[in-house]
Amino acid sequence: MTLFAIGNLSVDVPGRRLLDGITLDLPAGQVIALIGHNGSGKSTLLKVLARQVAASGRIAFEGRPLSDWRPRDYARRLAFLPQTTPPAEGMLVRELVALGRYPWHGALGRFGPRDHQAVAAAMQECGVAPFADRLVDTLSGGERQRVWLAMMVAQQAGTLLLDEPISALDIAHQVEVLALIRRMCHEQTRSAVIVLHDVNMAARFCDHIVALKGGRLVMQGSPAELIRTEALYRIYGLPMQVLTKDDGTPVAVPA
């Protein structure tokens, strides 16, 4: 099943083309990585899918043109987490997670039993239930990121879009967050599209890889197809070698 069907997609800003004629299908039910060097168009593509940036071309989500989706219906099916999250000063964890219910009842709607149940289930799934009554600002970076993920889960969206969710985390929390996202998708039949910089993290935790360079598609396929010297050179323009760990996992390093 196709999650997003994208045809001849382009994004222009004054004096520059950010995305140039991208055509690809993103598979449903998988963790998909968007990779490439800085300025390759990864975040722009993600924002187009989130309807945060206007574009020319064709996009269909779950078989329907993007323009046919009403904003509230789209928000119920898809959750977007930007690279820089909004301030959460003075908010408790349970209050932040509860914001994920907004598409279901609006600003003035009453919080009912189904909302409370969704929030509790989301905090449990993301391992933040013990922090429910703590201020978000008192948590570590990895804990805060899990709270934002819980907010997306509370939204009950089947598709998650995440822009560099591990960029500000140490290596241990990077692994923790990506493992959680992978588990959230595989166990609950969700889909995720994630902007990542670390090619080895993408290969380890994602099912499908999309690589951009200069706003154009240069590669898409499995992690095994990514971790090859010729593919890596096409993407990054840098000679890289592929080593094999004791468990057989390939790792790319600069040559």
Side-chain angles (χ1 to χ4, degrees):
M1 181 179 173
T2 299
L3 181 68
F4 285 101
I6 302 169
N8 198 29
L9 182 72
S10 296
V11 173
D12 293 297
V13 295
R16 187 182 175 199
R17 172 157 284 196
L18 302 181
L19 295 176
D20 189 6
I22 291 178
T23 297
L24 77 156
D25 291 342
L26 299 181
Q30 296 191 18
V31 182
I32 301 164
L34 300 182
I35 67 169
H37 57 76
N38 289 340
S40 61
K42 306 183 300 295
S43 292
T44 300
L45 177 56
L46 195 76
K47 290 174 183 176
V48 170
L49 300 182
R51 303 212 297 193
Q52 303 288 312
V53 170
S56 62
R58 305 180 308 279
I59 307 178
F61 174 62
E62 296 183 344
R64 291 172 53 188
L66 221 56
S67 57
D68 288 357
W69 285 87
R70 296 188 306 171
R72 176 169 287 191
D73 291 338
Y74 200 63
R76 289 176 175 179
R77 294 294 305 141
L78 180 145
F80 171 60
L81 187 66
Q83 181 179 354
T84 302
T85 53
E89 185 176 354
M91 294 189 70
L92 299 177
V93 166
R94 68 169 68 252
E95 293 172 334
L96 179 56
V97 177
L99 293 179
R101 299 303 298 163
Y102 178 83
W104 296 93
H105 58 66
L108 302 178
R110 298 185 63 179
F111 217 74
R114 291 182 63 183
D115 299 302
H116 288 291
Q117 183 180 14
V119 170
M123 289 194 295
Q124 187 67 36
E125 181 176 348
C126 295
V128 298
F131 314 141
D133 294 311
R134 285 182 57 182
L135 290 170
V136 176
D137 289 346
T138 67
L139 303 178
S140 70
E143 291 167 343
R144 281 198 303 272
Q145 202 68 330
R146 283 193 282 131
V147 172
W148 284 105
L149 289 173
M151 185 194 74
M152 300 176 81
V153 172
Q155 192 171 326
Q156 294 183 312
T159 298
L160 313 177
L161 305 182
L162 304 108
D163 193 355
E164 298 191 38
I166 63 171
S167 62
L169 305 180
D170 60 48
I171 186 66
H173 285 119
Q174 289 180 16
V175 170
E176 176 186 272
V177 167
L178 288 178
L180 172 60
I181 293 169
R182 182 177 175 86
R183 186 168 67 250
M184 286 164 55
C185 290
H186 288 184
E187 293 182 358
Q188 301 296 330
T189 63
R190 297 186 183 99
S191 306
V193 184
I194 314 173
V195 172
L196 291 172
H197 274 293
D198 190 316
V199 66
N200 290 310
M201 287 291 193
R204 177 177 176 183
F205 290 102
C206 298
D207 307 302
H208 189 79
I209 311 294
V210 173
L212 302 178
K213 184 175 184 179
R216 296 184 178 184
L217 176 68
V218 294
M219 176 265 176
Q220 67 167 322
S222 68
E225 292 172 302
L226 167 69
I227 304 296
R228 295 177 178 175
T229 54
E230 60 274 16
L232 293 166
Y233 186 80
R234 285 204 318 272
I235 297 166
Y236 296 104
L238 178 72
M240 301 184 76
Q241 61 183 115
V242 177
L243 307 178
T244 303
K245 296 168 58 179
D246 291 341
D247 63 1
T249 303
V251 177
V253 297

